[in-house]
Amino acid sequence: MRIDCGSFADMGAPPDLLAQTEPVQQAFGHLVKEGYVILDRVLPPATVAQLEIALEAALVDLTGTPDDRFRIGTLRYALPIALSGPFADPIVYANPAVTAIARVALDRSVILQGFGAEMALPGGAPQHIDRDGRLLFDADLSPLLPAHALTCRLAVGAAHNVAIWPGSHRWKVRNEEAPPEVIDVPPGSVALFDSRLLSGATANRSDKPHYLLQAAYARRWFRDSTQGLRLAAARLEVGRDFLATVAPDDRGLFAHLRNAS
C-alpha cells in the first residue's frame, strides 16, 4: 500500500489528532496485515537535498577506507548519525505522518530508539535477507503479538529498492522460497516496516553511492541490542543541548534518555 503524505506537514495538527485521520488508520491496517506501508512525499525536495549533502559529508571517509566495524554486507555500511544540523529538523526525526502511524501501532508512549544511515557503494551486493529486529519470546508466540518496533527507511538521493516478504512478520516458519515483492521508495518517501518483517535491499548497480536514513521507533519498554548487527539505528546520538530544542508534542520520543522531560 502507498499513501501520499504530501499534505501532512501542512495540517498543523498535533500527533494525536493526525492519528485519527483516515490515511493513518489505513496505513495502520496494512501494517498490521502485511507488515509494511509506503509513505510517499513525506519530506519536501529541499529538505531531501539538504540531507543528501549532509550524508555525503558525514560518510565521505567510508568511500576511501571503509571501516569493517560498520560493514553490513558486500560494499554496504551502516553508521550512527547524530541528531544535529539538518538531521535535527523535527520533520526528519518526528515526521507528522510517521509519528502518527507509530503512535497508533506502538501506543502514544512510542520512543525514537535509534537513528542512523546506510550506504551501498557502487557494485554493492543485495542485502542479506533478515529482520530489522529480533522476535519477542519464541517463533510460535511472536507472530501473534502486536508490533513492538518499527523501522523507518527514508530514501535520500536515489530511490531505495528493497525486496520484502509481505506478511512474514506473522510467519511461524521462515519461508524464503516464497516470492518477494520488490518495492521502490523514491527520494523523500518512506518505507515503514514492522521490525519482524523479512526484507533485503537490492544491489546497487549504479556508479554512485546510495544513501538511506533509518530510524527505529519502539514501545518504551523495548530494547534490542541485536539491532546493531543490521542497523546503525541501534544507537541514538544527540547533542548536549538537543533535548531543549524538542517541541513538547515530540518530547515523548526521547523519554528514555537521561534528562529528558
Side-chain angles (χ1 to χ4, degrees):
M1 170 180 279
R2 306 190 79 102
I3 294 179
D4 189 344
C5 299
S7 62
F8 269 65
D10 300 324
M11 286 184 178
D16 285 345
L17 289 182
L18 286 178
Q20 300 173 31
T21 62
E22 183 177 354
V24 169
Q25 292 298 319
Q26 289 178 339
F28 170 61
H30 199 263
L31 194 62
V32 170
K33 181 180 179 181
E34 302 293 347
Y36 80 98
V37 65
I38 308 302
L39 308 178
D40 285 318
R41 296 202 305 154
V42 164
L43 294 183
T47 300
V48 177
Q50 292 176 343
L51 291 173
E52 183 179 12
I53 293 172
L55 273 177
E56 288 178 346
L59 304 180
V60 66
D61 289 342
L62 276 182
T63 61
T65 55
D67 190 328
D68 279 345
R69 290 180 301 166
F70 304 119
R71 188 167 64 85
I72 56 172
T74 304
L75 298 178
R76 288 184 176 276
Y77 299 86
L79 282 177
I81 296 291
L83 290 177
S84 62
F87 305 112
D89 187 335
I91 200 174
V92 176
Y93 66 79
N95 185 270
V98 174
T99 54
I101 296 169
R103 280 172 175 250
V104 175
L106 303 174
D107 78 38
R108 295 177 62 220
S109 62
V110 60
I111 60 171
L112 178 61
Q113 188 183 61
F115 187 83
E118 276 192 18
M119 179 177 67
L121 295 175
Q127 198 171 32
H128 176 66
I129 301 167
D130 206 350
R131 308 179 194 276
D132 284 339
R134 65 175 172 86
L135 300 176
L136 287 182
F137 307 113
D138 57 46
D140 287 330
L141 180 58
S142 180
L144 304 176
L145 300 174
H148 53 271
L150 302 178
T151 301
C152 176
R153 301 186 181 191
L154 171 66
V156 178
H160 176 59
N161 298 306
V162 57
I164 63 171
W165 280 257
S168 57
H169 64 309
R170 299 295 184 191
W171 290 356
K172 292 186 177 181
V173 178
R174 183 162 168 159
N175 179 18
E176 292 180 18
E177 294 183 1
E181 177 181 341
V182 178
I183 57 176
D184 175 77
V185 187
S189 294
V190 155
L192 196 60
F193 293 170
D194 185 308
S195 67
R196 298 168 294 181
L197 191 77
L198 289 171
S199 68
T202 60
N204 179 5
R205 304 187 187 283
S206 73
D207 59 356
K208 296 181 179 179
H210 284 180
Y211 302 110
L212 176 73
L213 278 179
Q214 294 197 117
Y217 298 88
R219 295 182 186 270
R220 186 170 177 177
W221 48 262
F222 181 67
R223 299 292 183 272
D224 187 1
S225 60
T226 67
Q227 224 173 10
L229 300 177
R230 174 71 183 266
L231 295 178
R235 294 169 56 187
L236 183 63
E237 294 188 5
V238 301
R240 177 179 301 177
D241 300 321
F242 170 78
L243 292 175
T245 70
V246 177
D249 282 340
D250 300 330
R251 204 157 290 159
L253 292 172
F254 304 98
H256 57 307
L257 298 184
R258 184 178 300 175
N259 298 327
S261 60

